[in-house]
Amino acid sequence: DSGVTQTPKHLITATGQRVTLRCSPRSGDLSVYWYQQSLDQGLQFLIQYYNGEERAKGNILERFSAQQFPDLHSELNLSSLELGDSALYFCASSVALVYNEQFFGPGTRLTVL
Amino acid sequence: GENVEQHPSTLSVQEGDSAVIKCTYSDSASNYFPWYKQELGKRPQLIIDIRSNVGEKKDQRIAVTLNKTAKHFSLHITETQPEDSAVYFCAALSNAGGTSYGKLTFGQGTILTVHP
C-alpha cells in the first residue's frame, strides 16, 4: 500500500457524461500528479499540482480539468466523455516539487460505453 | 517536448539469467530517470532511479546506468526470478524550467517474462 488512495475503483458511464475522480495523497506529500494509462498510449502525464497550485501540464484535453484543495486532496474532472477516454487513471503523490519518488495510487478504471 | 523510447517491448528470459532494458531520451535538459515496475492490475512502483550527476546506481540485483552524452539509460536485472515478471517502465524528467516541473515522460514499457 503506497498510502495514496483513489476513489472510485471502477467507473462505468456513457458517452457525453461527466465524472469526477478523487485522490488523497500520502500524508505530508504536497505534490499530486494525474496520469492516464491506456493500452495504445502507455502512461501519459496529465497534470501536476503542488500545494494547491497547478505546476506542470501534459497533453491534457480541454474536456479534462483538475484541482487540488486546501486539504491537498485532488479531483480530476472528465466531461463530454468519449469512448477513447476509457482508461486507467492514476494519481501519484510526492513530497516535493521535483526529483522525488512518485507514489502511485491503485487507480480508477474508467469505462465509457 | 521530451520523448522516451524503450526497447525491447517484450523480453523473455530463463530464471537466473540477466535482463537488460534500454531507453533513450531526446531532451538534453532531462536530469532524473526513474524506473517503475507494474504488475498486472496493480500500480506502478519505483524500483530504482538515477540522477544526471551519477553514471551508475545499484540496488541488490537491480542496476541502472546512464550515458548523458548518448542520452540513454538502461536497467539491468541479474539473477532473475519468476516474481520479476512484470511490465517495466523507464521515465525521464526534464527540468528546463517553466512548466516542466514534475513532468515525467514514460517509455512505452517492456513486458518481462521470467520462465522457471
Side-chain angles (χ1 to χ4, degrees), chain A residues 1-2 4 33 35 37 40-43 45 48 55-58 90 97-102 104-106, chain B residues 31-32 36 38 41-46 49 51 89 93 95 98-108:
Chain A
D1 185 358
S2 66
V4 179
Y33 313 79
Y35 293 90
Q37 186 174 38
D40 58 341
Q41 294 287 326
L43 261 170
F45 168 79
Q48 177 201 11
R55 297 305 292 262
K57 214 166 186 176
F90 285 106
L97 195 53
V98 288
Y99 305 131
N100 286 96
E101 177 177 357
Q102 294 184 21
F104 281 74
Chain B
N31 49 16
Y32 173 63
Y36 283 84
Q38 186 177 25
K42 300 208 172 161
R43 72 193 80 196
Q45 289 188 284
L46 181 79
D49 57 8
R51 301 189 194 286
F89 292 95
L93 186 146
N95 189 29
T99 61
S100 299
Y101 293 111
K103 179 181 176 182
L104 279 178
T105 301
F106 283 84
Q108 288 299 97

Side-chain angles (χ1 to χ4, degrees), chain B residues 41-60:
Chain B
K42 300 208 172 161
R43 72 193 80 196
Q45 289 188 284
L46 181 79
I47 55 172
I48 196 166
D49 57 8
I50 191 168
R51 301 189 194 286
S52 59
N53 58 347
V54 175
E56 183 173 358
K57 185 176 177 181
K58 194 171 180 180
D59 183 4
Q60 298 182 347

Side-chain angles (χ1 to χ4, degrees), chain A:
Chain A
D1 185 358
S2 66
V4 179
T5 60
Q6 287 186 249
T7 56
K9 276 190 176 180
H10 303 277
L11 201 47
I12 301 175
T13 188
T15 54
Q17 295 297 304
R18 172 189 168 96
V19 298
T20 298
L21 313 183
R22 184 189 167 101
C23 167
S24 292
R26 293 187 322 153
S27 177
D29 284 1
L30 299 178
S31 267
V32 169
Y33 313 79
W34 286 98
Y35 293 90
Q36 179 191 58
Q37 186 174 38
S38 57
L39 284 174
D40 58 341
Q41 294 287 326
L43 261 170
Q44 298 282 319
F45 168 79
L46 295 178
I47 199 164
Q48 177 201 11
Y49 280 83
Y50 178 78
N51 204 20
E53 291 187 20
E54 181 187 308
R55 297 305 292 262
K57 214 166 186 176
N59 295 325
I60 187 168
L61 298 171
E62 283 192 13
R63 301 183 286 108
F64 295 3
S65 65
Q67 55 183 337
Q68 186 180 27
F69 295 86
D71 67 352
L72 301 178
H73 89 273
S74 178
E75 293 181 355
L76 179 67
N77 300 296
L78 316 175
S79 61
S80 302
L81 285 168
E82 303 175 358
L83 295 177
D85 297 327
S86 295
L88 196 52
Y89 290 84
F90 285 106
C91 165
S93 73
S94 68
V95 169
L97 195 53
V98 288
Y99 305 131
N100 286 96
E101 177 177 357
Q102 294 184 21
F103 293 86
F104 281 74
T108 292
R109 182 166 294 282
L110 173 66
T111 302
V112 182
L113 301 175

